[in-house]
Amino acid sequence: MKNSFKYITYLTLSLLLIVVILLFEQGGSVLSWQFLSKNWSHVDILKGGIYPAIIGTLWLGLGVMLISFPVGFLSGLYLTEYMNHGRLKRFLILVIRNLAGIPSVVYGMFGLALFVRFFGFGSSLLSAILTLSVMTLPWVITASIEALEALPKSWREASLALGATKWQTLLNVIIPAAIPTSLTGGIVANARAMGETAPIIVVGATFYLSKLPDSLDDKFMALPYHVFILATQHSSQHAGAYAAATALVLITISFGMSAIGMSLRYYLRKKLEG
Amino acid sequence: MKNNYTLEVKNLQVWYEDQQVLKQISVKIPKGKITALIGASGSGKSTFLRSLNRILETNPVVKIDGLVKIGGQKIYEPTTDLIELRRKVGMVFQSPTPFPKSIYENVAFGLKVAGVKPNQSKKPWWQIFEQKRTANEIENSEDFMDKVVVNSLKEAALWKEVKDRLHTSALKLSGGQQQRLCIARAIAVQPEILLLDEPCSALDPISTKKIEELLLKLSDKYTIVIVTHNLHQAKRISDHIGFFHLGEMIEFGESQYIFEKPEQKLTKEYVGGHFG
């Protein structure tokens, strides 16, 4: 029994590895400095690169992090530290957990209705950042709640008993201790947001732009959408290789984000525990 | 005569939701002495202790009624300054509760939240990565916070053990050291009363002995109220004893009398080890 579990585990991991190997085989030859650093060339794709799509995706990731982590963490803080236990709280937490399961394209439609149309942000980087932030909020809130609830109740009492106010207790003891774990949730959510395709098609990503976005109001290119178009709709015979290479870059950025997240968490935790 | 009592309690009653856990407690606790509260689990002694610095009411289901006076001041008035009360009445909990901060920061915590600025803040920002200050520098510093931290650690008989790792995490200390650190942290805000809720129940006999010696020493300066399961401990360190049973204070008196000739039959049975 134990052995079959072992094989299943290895099988799963090897599937991941096979994906990476296949992508390399398909797109490895395309990877070059030019591919990473040049603007997209629409007519002859061999002459250009995916630089704008990389930048677009990085802007997107940064924006989502800056919005969804603080908002999500503060929501988690309110739910755990201020809200009384009761039906309303259980209901809210249930709703938040369920929001995490809603298909991303539905968030796309939501963003289209609310940010693009109602607030009039148009198809833009801003609309995409806000849409993906809303999408990642449930994960960040859930991770924050779990981090906060894992902290000993005795810290809160000990701090109050020393004459600290509730806010001082949160600020000096609880928040610094809960941030590392919450941050991990935030970064995993962010890595997923950067890989999302469906919602950003709806709210502002385009396949081809001659320039980088100058402001939050501009449309933008993004890696996942780029992969999608190259793999399914582009006529160039090199499109397949380019799609694979672009996917490799996307995976690398995702892994890189996770690695940064993990080391940040490790550093903060070390600092906390000495 | 009035000055001989730090704490006066009259008709204190406490409910958890609808269940009454303290019934009509009235007692006067003498100043500058060690008072031990004994009794079986669930007898209400911890609840009583936690009502004295009003930490009990952080639990929203608790209802409290009655009079508690500390140094002549009623503490359950609407005008009571909770922050000031809790500075005056320090508390040490059952299991050690060091914060995930350095030893120095733990002891300085009460001062910091009271608005005392730490010495380091006077340094320009680019020096934050410079060498941490040595034990010697901190010990000889003229800074108020440094002085209080050093004195509190010395008073808690911990200075020698931790002076060379003041900047490492308090979570790295042993259980007994952590508990003494919590005592140092409590006395750093210069309270008048020190409440201890079974402070040795998680500790080994040697650490327990150190804490008992420490409490005997501290009783010169502070009024100490300690909840304990351990009758031997009560006998060794306390001047007075209050015996709790099912939410009532059955008897209060000098330790010697409680152990040798208690007035109540229940007390006699409890200190004789018939239940508990």
Side-chain angles (χ1 to χ4, degrees):
Chain A
M1 205 58 200
K2 194 181 125 202
N3 268 344
S4 50
F5 289 153
K6 190 169 94 183
Y7 294 133
I8 289 172
T9 308
Y10 283 125
L11 186 71
T12 319
L13 288 176
S14 58
L15 281 176
L16 259 179
L17 199 65
I18 289 168
V19 169
V20 175
I21 289 171
L22 283 179
L23 285 177
F24 246 108
E25 200 195 68
Q26 288 279 308
S29 60
V30 179
L31 286 174
S32 68
W33 180 240
Q34 179 206 317
F35 180 71
L36 296 174
S37 65
K38 277 225 157 160
N39 276 343
W40 183 244
S41 149
H42 198 49
V43 185
D44 181 2
I45 63 174
L46 291 179
K47 283 197 178 137
I50 57 163
Y51 178 65
I54 296 176
I55 295 299
T57 288
L58 289 178
W59 277 126
L60 208 55
L62 184 70
V64 170
M65 198 65 198
L66 288 180
I67 292 176
S68 82
F69 185 72
V71 174
F73 185 75
L74 291 176
S75 307
L77 198 66
Y78 173 75
L79 285 166
T80 43
E81 305 293 327
Y82 285 99
M83 199 165 191
N84 288 330
H85 288 281
R87 267 192 205 162
L88 180 63
K89 180 174 174 176
R90 280 205 304 273
F91 175 72
L92 283 178
I93 289 179
L94 187 73
V95 169
I96 290 166
R97 296 245 158 95
N98 279 304
L99 281 175
I102 290 182
S104 58
V105 69
V106 177
Y107 280 103
M109 303 314 286
F110 167 79
L112 182 67
L114 188 71
F115 302 123
V116 178
R117 302 244 168 91
F118 184 77
F119 284 123
F121 297 147
S123 284
S124 62
L125 186 56
L126 180 63
S127 292
I129 287 173
L130 292 173
T131 304
L132 290 181
S133 296
V134 172
M135 188 189 88
T136 48
L137 267 180
W139 295 320
V140 181
I141 297 175
T142 308
S144 303
I145 289 176
E146 273 161 17
L148 287 161
E149 281 182 346
L151 301 178
K153 190 167 162 260
S154 60
W155 284 352
R156 296 169 175 90
E157 282 189 340
S159 171
L160 293 175
L162 285 164
T165 61
K166 177 155 192 176
W167 176 237
Q168 286 173 325
T169 302
L170 291 179
L171 202 63
N172 292 297
V173 182
I174 301 302
I175 294 177
I179 278 199
T181 317
S182 313
L183 207 56
T184 314
I187 284 165
V188 170
N190 200 34
R192 271 209 59 185
M194 292 195 339
E196 275 298 341
T197 320
I200 60 170
I201 300 177
V202 187
V203 296
T206 50
F207 175 65
Y208 173 55
L209 283 175
S210 53
K211 66 177 185 61
L212 292 174
D214 292 327
S215 76
L216 288 168
D217 295 331
D218 288 346
K219 285 175 164 281
F220 61 99
M221 291 172 68
L223 293 169
Y225 185 44
H226 207 71
V227 175
F228 170 69
I229 296 286
L230 283 173
T232 60
Q233 301 178 18
H234 207 277
S235 58
S236 164
Q237 55 170 328
H238 304 290
Y242 268 64
T246 309
L248 270 177
V249 173
L250 180 59
I251 289 180
T252 311
I253 290 179
S254 267
F255 283 173
M257 285 283 301
S258 298
I260 290 171
M262 298 304 158
S263 15
L264 190 63
R265 172 193 167 142
Y266 181 77
Y267 168 77
L268 288 175
R269 175 141 306 164
K270 264 262 125 70
K271 222 179 108 185
L272 218 56
E273 285 167 4
Chain B
M1 269 313 274
K2 209 181 169 203
N3 278 347
N4 291 341
Y5 300 107
T6 306
L7 262 160
E8 283 182 73
V9 179
K10 232 182 226 163
N11 294 332
L12 182 71
Q13 311 205 66
V14 173
W15 292 263
Y16 286 118
E17 282 168 341
D18 293 328
Q19 193 196 353
Q20 187 165 12
V21 289
L22 281 186
K23 296 166 190 163
Q24 303 284 352
I25 309 281
S26 294
V27 66
K28 290 178 177 176
I29 292 179
K31 192 173 182 173
K33 305 274 184 197
I34 299 184
T35 299
L37 306 177
I38 59 172
S41 303
S43 59
K45 52 195 193 312
S46 284
T47 303
F48 175 75
L49 191 80
R50 292 162 64 85
S51 70
L52 301 179
N53 65 344
R54 293 186 59 180
I55 202 80
L56 186 61
E57 68 202 46
T58 56
N59 183 341
V61 303
V62 166
K63 274 179 293 182
I64 305 164
D65 180 55
L67 182 79
V68 179
K69 273 189 188 175
I70 289 181
Q73 275 188 319
K74 297 177 190 171
I75 65 164
Y76 278 98
E77 295 293 294
T79 51
T80 304
D81 182 348
L82 266 185
I83 305 295
E84 198 193 302
L85 169 71
R86 287 175 183 159
R87 270 183 209 138
K88 209 153 62 173
V89 187
M91 188 165 214
V92 175
F93 296 84
Q94 191 168 358
S95 48
T97 55
F99 300 134
K101 298 171 176 294
S102 73
I103 293 169
Y104 182 99
E105 285 174 303
N106 262 280
V107 183
F109 186 85
L111 293 177
K112 191 183 159 200
V113 297
V116 177
K117 290 272 172 283
N119 195 10
Q120 279 104 319
S121 69
K122 288 171 203 150
K123 277 189 180 179
W125 62 269
W126 62 85
Q127 285 185 8
I128 54 166
F129 291 113
E130 283 204 351
Q131 196 68 42
K132 296 266 166 67
R133 294 176 308 149
T134 63
N136 239 333
E137 277 171 346
I138 294 175
E139 195 175 7
N140 297 320
S141 160
E142 287 299 309
D143 180 68
F144 175 69
M145 189 178 268
D146 287 342
K147 278 186 170 175
V148 173
V149 170
V150 173
N151 286 338
S152 305
L153 284 169
K154 282 181 177 169
E155 263 193 277
L158 195 58
W159 173 252
K160 277 185 194 150
E161 291 162 58
V162 302
K163 67 186 170 75
D164 294 318
R165 42 182 175 150
L166 290 169
H167 303 291
T168 58
S169 170
L171 303 181
K172 291 231 167 125
L173 298 173
S174 72
Q177 288 172 325
Q178 287 187 356
Q179 201 57 301
R180 277 180 284 145
L181 180 74
C182 290
I183 295 176
R185 189 172 69 182
I187 59 185
V189 283
Q190 282 138 1
E192 292 165 19
I193 301 170
L194 207 52
L195 309 175
L196 301 106
D197 190 356
E198 298 190 34
C200 303
S201 62
L203 303 182
D204 59 273
I206 293 169
S207 304
T208 300
K209 184 160 177 269
K210 278 189 184 163
I211 297 222
E212 287 177 5
E213 286 167 0
L214 170 62
L215 293 179
L216 284 170
K217 212 178 71 187
L218 292 175
S219 66
D220 293 344
K221 248 178 107 176
Y222 309 94
T223 302
I224 294 177
V225 185
I226 176 171
V227 165
T228 179
H229 251 115
N230 182 337
L231 285 174
H232 299 292
Q233 180 171 63
K235 205 172 200 170
R236 283 193 296 265
I237 62 172
S238 69
D239 303 300
H240 294 80
I241 284 180
F243 168 59
F244 280 78
H245 185 66
L246 300 177
E248 287 180 83
M249 188 181 262
I250 305 294
E251 195 164 354
F252 183 88
E254 289 184 27
S255 305
Q256 207 183 340
Y257 290 101
I258 295 284
F259 277 107
E260 283 165 18
K261 36 187 168 186
E263 282 173 16
Q264 303 293 328
K265 194 168 159 261
L266 263 173
T267 316
K268 195 175 177 182
E269 283 176 13
Y270 183 76
V271 299
H274 295 293
F275 72 95

